[in-house]
Amino acid sequence: QVQLQESGPGLVKPSQTLSLTCTVSGGSITTNPYYWTWIRQSPGKGLEWMGAVTYSGTTYYNPSLKSRTSISRDTSKNQFSLQLSSVTPEDAAVYYCARDAPGEGWSSLDYWGQGTQVTVSS
């Protein structure tokens, strides 16, 4: 049973960097063919795929966020992380990490963390 859990601050100040970590248990983040993904959800924008790191360490990003998004991994800890710089109130959302298995659309995200609310406020 794969489990994912997000951790990080729930409050970030405008212009600062949002940093979240996803801890994975029950499976290795280096296992082919899975991707490890960050998604966020807000009332105004709905679900938004932010990016992913593959089992081999390759990263992919949503073009609309690429300039200020960085996804990394620590295989020794079985964790992957998200950094989103220069945040604004538009970045307030529930942030999820998830495993991406082969398939189409949201259904390919077969395991999700519980999500963590991030507020952007000074």
Side-chain angles (χ1 to χ4, degrees), residues 73-115:
R73 67 176 187 166
D74 185 338
T75 58
S76 70
K77 298 180 180 179
N78 213 38
Q79 295 177 330
F80 64 105
S81 299
L82 170 72
Q83 292 190 297
L84 181 68
S85 66
S86 303
V87 302
T88 75
E90 294 292 308
D91 296 310
V94 178
Y95 285 76
Y96 298 91
C97 57
R99 188 177 81 168
D100 192 352
E104 294 293 327
W106 298 112
S107 64
S108 69
L109 302 172
D110 57 357
Y111 290 92
W112 294 64
Q114 79 282 0

Side-chain angles (χ1 to χ4, degrees), residues 39-88:
I39 307 99
R40 65 183 184 181
Q41 183 175 34
S42 63
K45 292 173 285 189
L47 286 170
E48 183 177 32
W49 179 84
M50 301 185 70
V53 58
T54 75
Y55 60 91
S56 63
T58 303
T59 53
Y60 299 96
Y61 300 102
N62 185 327
S64 71
L65 298 169
K66 187 180 189 305
S67 66
R68 57 192 186 98
T69 305
S70 180
I71 295 171
S72 59
R73 67 176 187 166
D74 185 338
T75 58
S76 70
K77 298 180 180 179
N78 213 38
Q79 295 177 330
F80 64 105
S81 299
L82 170 72
Q83 292 190 297
L84 181 68
S85 66
S86 303
V87 302
T88 75

Side-chain angles (χ1 to χ4, degrees), residues 23-39:
T23 300
V24 179
S25 61
S28 173
I29 63 172
T30 65
T31 297
N32 188 325
Y34 303 111
Y35 292 12
W36 304 92
T37 303
W38 288 100
I39 307 99

